[in-house]
Amino acid sequence: MLDKVINELHLYEKKLLNSIDKNIDSTPEEIAESEQMPVKAVTSAAGMLESKDIITVEKNSTDNINLSEEGEEYVFKGLPEHRILKALQDFDSEGKTEASLDEIIEKAEVSKPQMNFSIGILMRHKWATMNNGKLSLTDDGKQVDISQLPQSKFLKYIHDKKTVAEDKIPEEFADVRKEFKKRKELFEIKTIQDFKYHLNDKGKQILEKGFTIQDEATQLTHEQLKTGSWKNLHYKGYDINTSVPNNFPGKIHPLQQTIEEIREIFIDMGFDEAKGNILESAFWNFDMLFQPQDHAAREMQDTFYVSNPSQANLPDQKLVDMTRAEHEHGGNTGSQGWQYKWNEDVAKQIVLRTHTTGLSVRYLSENQPPLKMFSVGRVFRRETINYKHLPEFHQVEGIVAGEDMSFKNLLGILKEFYRKLGFKVRFRPAYFPYTYLSIESEIYVPEKKSWMELGGSGMFRPEVLEPLGIQTQVAAFGLGIERLAMMRYGIEDIRMLYQSNIGWLRQLPVTKNIKTF
């Protein structure tokens, strides 16, 4: 076991061990010089040896004090408060018992900020008093010998010593040093770290057994291979059974990964991608989809309405009038419509889109069949936040339009889509205001031995297509992406997809195909 440890020691680790054995009190700088190593290599090798329990590194930090440039100036000129005190003493000797601040500033050669700062010190030491903006010397102030003040002596002491360790300051200056703690402009403090290395039992055993110090090759050059000199090199030993540290590479978030996978599938199936704004008029979000203006989904408790701007601009009047006709009496479709008075102001309301189907009808208004289109985007609904609902989520929507398009074609497209995702799918009848022959797609969950609803689809009603001038059949479908991602990653709580849980994210595999059924 010890032979294995010695064989894996780096050249610098061996040199450091050898130096410690010779002189345990050597500093990293002294070791670096004696062993012809960079200082950083010494500290790095020490860290490696300590991690292997071969040595113990003792670290001690010392704060060394030097005078700053300003501090050096005060050694010769005196501290501002001392210069002011000296000026007051001079005025007093001249028979002037008080002096204005301007007079003192000029005589003491201090700045106005220094003057303001010093007044408090003078009064705290009871060396001066102030009355009507003028300073007067006290009896205590008259007796002061500035050269003998502890503050003056301390600055002179630091000046003479050049550098003094914080813990080596004489006891007589302890109070002064405490007083000067806040006056950082007077000093420069440099922290010096001192390292001492001590051999552990394991290190002593290694030195007792002994080792050879020689240059080690860690990589080969072209020249060494060409000349054959590689045969004479000594190679560092490696333990092929050593465990490697966990590696956490960058990866796409699972929700975004699911979105990208869906996009790839639809693009491979020949669909074009469309994008739109999250702010939509009620006209495109509801009215164009033949959803009556008194429908429950339009209530404030189900939809987010925007107050600024308060209204949207509607499209051309012909499309608006035809949409009105569909709602009021069914237009020319043979339908009776919803039999109510359609309100244009209601259609102008602005909402956070509740689905991306509004983008589908917008696309139909700008493009003629045949076409295949899909979109992926965020939608918003006033949902109570719980383990399976959020007020903001993602939805994928798609339409297929053409002369030969039928309900059977729609089922085939959906089956192929879910097959590419790796799911077994079935369909059951459903109802949506803007489609007929409507269905909901359900995928099988093996763990629960049950079916899970994932999205709705159907054929657009004539009342949706007539205002757009579309004469062919149009199939439409949509599904929630978060629910799909939960299935792929085995998540029970939808909120997990939006939590900053770095541990969970690190555990996820990098590959996108997580589960297939």
Side-chain angles (χ1 to χ4, degrees):
M1 185 66 180
L2 199 61
D3 288 335
K4 179 183 175 183
V5 174
I6 294 173
N7 189 47
E8 292 176 0
L9 288 176
H10 189 276
L11 176 63
Y12 287 157
E13 292 176 276
K14 293 178 180 179
K15 285 187 173 184
L16 178 56
L17 272 177
N18 188 54
S19 180
I20 294 173
D21 187 40
K22 288 187 284 187
N23 189 351
I24 198 169
D25 293 324
S26 296
T27 66
E29 290 75 17
E30 291 169 341
I31 293 174
E33 184 178 355
S34 65
E35 299 295 336
Q36 297 182 341
M37 295 166 56
V39 175
K40 287 185 177 180
V42 174
T43 56
S44 177
M48 291 298 295
L49 289 173
E50 186 176 38
S51 69
K52 299 172 185 176
D53 196 30
I54 296 174
I55 68 170
T56 299
V57 180
E58 180 186 346
K59 301 176 185 177
N60 296 302
S61 296
T62 303
D63 288 337
N64 286 348
I65 303 175
N66 302 70
L67 286 178
S68 66
E69 187 176 336
E70 188 172 349
E72 290 284 356
E73 177 187 347
Y74 292 160
V75 170
F76 300 101
K77 295 177 64 175
L79 288 163
E81 61 268 28
H82 292 172
R83 281 183 263 167
I84 293 170
L85 177 59
K86 178 66 168 60
L88 287 173
Q89 289 176 340
D90 291 343
F91 280 134
D92 186 71
S93 65
E94 298 169 0
K96 191 171 184 176
T97 58
E98 61 180 12
S100 67
L101 299 186
D102 290 338
E103 290 175 316
I104 298 170
I105 287 173
E106 182 179 356
K107 188 172 186 63
E109 297 182 355
V110 295
S111 65
K112 191 170 183 179
Q114 288 176 329
M115 182 72 202
N116 295 335
F117 173 78
S118 300
I119 289 174
I121 297 176
L122 293 170
M123 296 180 70
R124 186 166 63 249
H125 286 288
K126 299 181 180 180
W127 292 338
T129 58
M130 176 173 275
N131 186 32
N132 294 326
K134 293 185 177 183
L135 280 178
S136 301
L137 197 64
T138 65
D139 290 338
D140 289 343
K142 295 176 183 178
Q143 305 301 319
V144 172
D145 183 351
I146 296 173
S147 64
Q148 297 302 308
L149 287 172
Q151 294 84 356
S152 301
K153 288 184 175 182
F154 181 64
L155 290 181
K156 182 69 167 55
Y157 172 78
I158 300 294
H159 169 75
D160 293 340
K161 293 288 185 180
K162 305 295 183 186
T163 299
V164 179
E166 182 84 51
D167 57 355
K168 300 295 183 183
I169 294 175
E171 185 63 30
E172 64 177 297
F173 295 128
D175 291 339
V176 181
R177 176 61 187 141
K178 187 176 180 180
E179 177 188 338
F180 277 158
K181 284 282 187 181
K182 295 182 180 179
R183 300 183 70 169
K184 297 180 181 180
E185 75 279 2
L186 300 177
F187 308 98
E188 292 177 352
I189 299 176
K190 185 177 181 181
T191 301
I192 304 297
Q193 285 192 326
D194 177 43
F195 295 89
K196 288 187 178 180
Y197 306 127
H198 306 283
L199 288 170
N200 295 345
D201 290 340
K202 193 174 181 180
K204 293 175 182 177
Q205 292 171 11
I206 291 173
L207 286 168
E208 185 177 340
K209 189 169 184 65
F211 49 75
T212 303
I213 297 179
Q214 57 182 327
D215 290 333
E216 298 172 330
T218 56
Q219 62 182 13
L220 298 179
T221 65
H222 174 73
E223 187 66 25
Q224 290 167 339
L225 292 171
K226 182 179 178 180
T227 61
S229 60
W230 61 272
K231 299 176 183 179
N232 301 318
L233 298 176
H234 174 72
Y235 298 96
K236 183 180 181 297
Y238 293 95
D239 181 7
I240 61 173
N241 297 313
T242 300
S243 59
V244 297
N246 289 329
N247 185 28
F248 301 108
K251 64 182 77 170
I252 301 173
H253 190 278
L255 181 58
Q256 186 62 38
Q257 194 164 272
T258 303
I259 291 173
E260 292 304 318
E261 185 177 357
I262 290 172
R263 290 184 69 252
E264 287 179 16
I265 290 174
F266 278 120
I267 291 172
D268 287 345
M269 292 173 68
F271 281 72
D272 294 323
E273 184 176 8
K275 297 183 182 295
N277 298 323
I278 60 174
L279 282 181
E280 187 58 278
S281 66
F283 179 82
W284 289 106
N285 196 80
F286 297 122
D287 295 276
M288 274 302 297
L289 293 171
F290 196 53
Q291 195 170 91
Q293 293 184 336
D294 61 353
H295 193 281
R298 294 203 188 201
E299 298 296 329
M300 291 291 290
Q301 63 265 26
D302 292 311
T303 301
F304 291 104
Y305 284 86
V306 177
S307 59
N308 185 21
S310 58
Q311 286 189 329
N313 295 322
L314 298 183
D316 64 88
Q317 194 61 42
K318 181 181 178 182
L319 180 58
V320 173
D321 291 340
M322 291 186 71
T323 302
R324 184 199 311 274
E326 302 297 339
H327 281 253
E328 292 183 353
H329 53 76
N332 297 318
T333 63
S335 165
Q336 293 183 359
W338 297 112
Q339 299 293 308
Y340 74 100
K341 184 69 174 176
W342 188 79
N343 189 332
E344 193 169 307
D345 288 334
V346 174
K348 289 180 179 179
Q349 292 177 319
I350 300 178
V351 301
L352 287 172
R353 64 186 181 191
T354 59
H355 48 207
T356 50
T357 317
L359 197 153
S360 297
V361 289
R362 271 187 179 273
Y363 191 85
L364 283 172
S365 71
E366 299 167 356
N367 299 272
Q368 289 296 313
L371 56 83
K372 292 196 291 185
M373 182 280 294
F374 81 98
S375 63
V376 178
R378 287 181 294 164
V379 296
F380 308 83
R381 295 177 190 173
R382 283 186 179 271
E383 299 276 10
T384 301
I385 297 177
N386 56 35
Y387 74 98
K388 62 179 180 178
H389 293 105
L390 291 174
E392 176 183 342
F393 55 98
H394 291 80
Q395 194 175 60
V396 58
E397 194 91 17
I399 53 173
V400 182
E403 292 291 341
D404 300 328
M405 190 61 201
S406 67
F407 182 67
K408 187 176 181 180
N409 296 140
L410 170 61
L411 296 183
I413 290 170
L414 292 175
K415 281 185 178 180
E416 178 64 10
F417 169 72
Y418 285 111
R419 184 192 70 79
K420 286 178 176 289
L421 281 174
F423 291 110
K424 180 181 178 181
V425 63
R426 75 177 185 183
F427 307 105
R428 65 177 176 83
Y431 168 78
F432 303 105
Y434 41 89
T435 60
Y436 69 102
L437 293 177
S438 304
I439 58 167
E440 284 186 345
S441 304
E442 293 182 336
I443 57 174
Y444 185 66
V445 185
E447 291 89 344
K448 298 182 179 180
K449 296 182 179 180
S450 62
W451 294 84
M452 176 178 168
E453 185 270 319
L454 206 58
S457 56
M459 309 300 291
F460 270 152
R461 294 176 61 96
E463 293 92 337
V464 175
L465 299 177
E466 185 181 53
L468 299 171
I470 303 297
Q471 303 295 321
T472 65
Q473 296 277 12
V474 178
F477 55 86
L479 69 143
I481 296 177
E482 276 80 355
R483 187 170 295 182
L484 176 59
M486 290 170 68
M487 288 289 301
R488 303 302 300 278
Y489 294 92
I491 300 170
E492 295 290 335
D493 193 326
I494 191 172
R495 292 168 292 191
M496 191 71 176
L497 290 170
Y498 291 92
Q499 290 178 355
S500 300
N501 188 334
I502 191 66
W504 174 69
L505 292 171
R506 281 177 169 176
Q507 291 171 8
L508 291 176
V510 177
T511 54
K512 66 181 179 181
N513 293 319
I514 308 305
K515 283 188 178 182
T516 56
F517 303 98

